[in-house]
Amino acid sequence: MKKDCSNCARERFSIPCYDCLIGNNNVPSRWVEGENYVADTVALRAVQLIERRAKAQGAPVPALLRRIGLCRELFWQWKHHNKGGISARYLEQMALDGYDVVYILTGRMEEK
């Protein structure tokens, strides 16, 4: 996916485009990992949310993986090879654990 203003998450944040370019060497801040970057695939979006939760909660990733019944090897495949499709079982467990499954599937965050 081409990373530009036409496909960033700007509709969720009412920020004029010039604001997202300041201080990032003309790279839109919404594309900076750890900010509001929307990953290209379902697997990468799942990895992204798990890692963001781990960082926000100060929790180790393996502990979060255990909560949803996901082994580290499959998580690693999702992250590094974009392999090992996400089954409905994992999506269900992620939803029950409070993850935004609509975002994982579509790349669009639910409004809160």
Side-chain angles (χ1 to χ4, degrees):
M1 175 188 331
K2 183 179 174 188
K3 297 176 181 177
D4 62 22
C5 288
S6 69
N7 57 12
C8 76
R10 70 179 170 198
E11 58 276 347
R12 186 166 191 274
F13 307 94
S14 356
I15 304 170
C17 285
Y18 65 85
D19 284 346
C20 75
L21 297 174
I22 296 171
N24 291 307
N25 297 323
N26 291 330
V27 175
S29 64
R30 295 180 195 98
W31 290 112
V32 177
E33 184 58 48
E35 296 291 328
N36 300 310
Y37 168 71
V38 178
D40 294 339
T41 66
V42 170
L44 291 176
R45 287 190 293 268
V47 167
Q48 178 186 54
L49 290 187
I50 292 168
E51 289 181 337
R52 284 183 180 175
R53 180 177 283 188
K55 183 178 178 181
Q57 295 179 352
V61 169
L64 297 178
L65 297 180
R66 281 192 297 275
R67 288 178 57 153
I68 59 174
L70 181 64
C71 69
R72 285 191 255 179
E73 292 80 14
L74 185 54
F75 179 79
W76 190 85
Q77 288 178 358
W78 290 356
K79 182 173 181 174
H80 296 285
H81 298 293
N82 197 22
K83 291 183 181 175
I86 299 180
S87 71
R89 173 180 170 242
Y90 296 121
L91 290 171
E92 177 184 26
Q93 290 303 318
M94 291 182 82
L96 291 172
D97 202 32
Y99 288 92
D100 185 352
V101 176
V102 172
Y103 170 75
I104 293 170
L105 291 171
T106 66
R108 294 184 174 263
M109 294 198 168
E110 292 183 325
E111 293 299 321
K112 300 207 181 215

